Amino acid sequence: MNLEILLPFQILFNKADVSRIVAETGEGSFGLLPHRLDCAAALVPGILVYETESEGEVFLAVDQGVLVKTGQDVLVSVRRALRGTDLAQLREAVEKEFLTLDEHEQAVRSVMTKLETGFLHRLAMFQHE
């Protein structure tokens, strides 16, 4: 399989000859082999594992995102990703960086929620007139 990891502003890497991939979704971990049917999955923050003959198992800490498999191509689009060899260090990175929102991001989400709520309220009032 061909694995491509995309971040919002760059392509992290593109690997060919990937023999298997294991990713985490809200329902648990699942694996991809080269002949699996095409699929799409919403990823949660966690560890993504892929294996190649030359590198063996490689671990990536990934933030939430999407995985899409079409034919031999697997595209993973995530907000953030870290590559590493120490699984414990990557798990800690997921817990510290990906699962906790910083104060700025929380404030932005709060403002966006208020804007969306206000917009929907005004739209509902407009439709009743």
Side-chain angles (χ1 to χ4, degrees):
M1 294 181 289
N2 302 310
L3 174 63
E4 187 169 14
I5 306 291
L6 301 175
L7 301 178
F9 300 106
Q10 71 180 41
I11 297 173
L12 186 62
F13 66 84
N14 194 342
K15 289 285 179 188
D17 299 323
V18 174
S19 58
R20 75 179 178 97
I21 300 168
V22 178
E24 293 184 39
T25 68
E27 289 77 39
S29 296
F30 77 101
L32 291 173
L33 295 173
H35 299 293
R36 181 182 171 134
L37 294 175
D38 294 350
C39 65
L43 301 178
V44 296
I47 304 296
L48 183 136
V49 181
Y50 71 89
E51 185 175 355
T52 64
E53 191 173 314
S54 61
E55 295 178 285
E57 277 191 336
V58 178
F59 303 101
L60 292 170
V62 296
D63 201 353
Q64 63 189 15
V66 177
L67 179 146
V68 178
K69 180 184 184 301
T70 54
Q72 291 297 304
D73 297 323
V74 179
L75 179 68
V76 176
S77 179
V78 292
R79 293 173 59 199
R80 294 175 282 191
L82 299 171
R83 187 175 174 174
T85 55
D86 182 14
L87 193 54
Q89 179 187 19
L90 284 176
R91 178 60 70 180
E92 187 176 309
V94 168
E95 291 171 358
K96 284 185 179 178
E97 295 184 33
F98 299 164
L99 295 178
T100 58
L101 300 176
D102 62 8
E103 291 177 16
H104 177 70
E105 191 171 352
Q106 287 177 347
V108 168
R109 285 187 182 190
S110 175
V111 168
M112 290 303 296
T113 300
K114 289 177 184 176
L115 286 172
E116 290 170 358
T117 302
F119 174 76
L120 291 175
H121 179 67
R122 282 187 229 120
L123 182 62
M125 289 176 51
F126 179 73
Q127 288 179 343
H128 286 283
E129 293 179 2

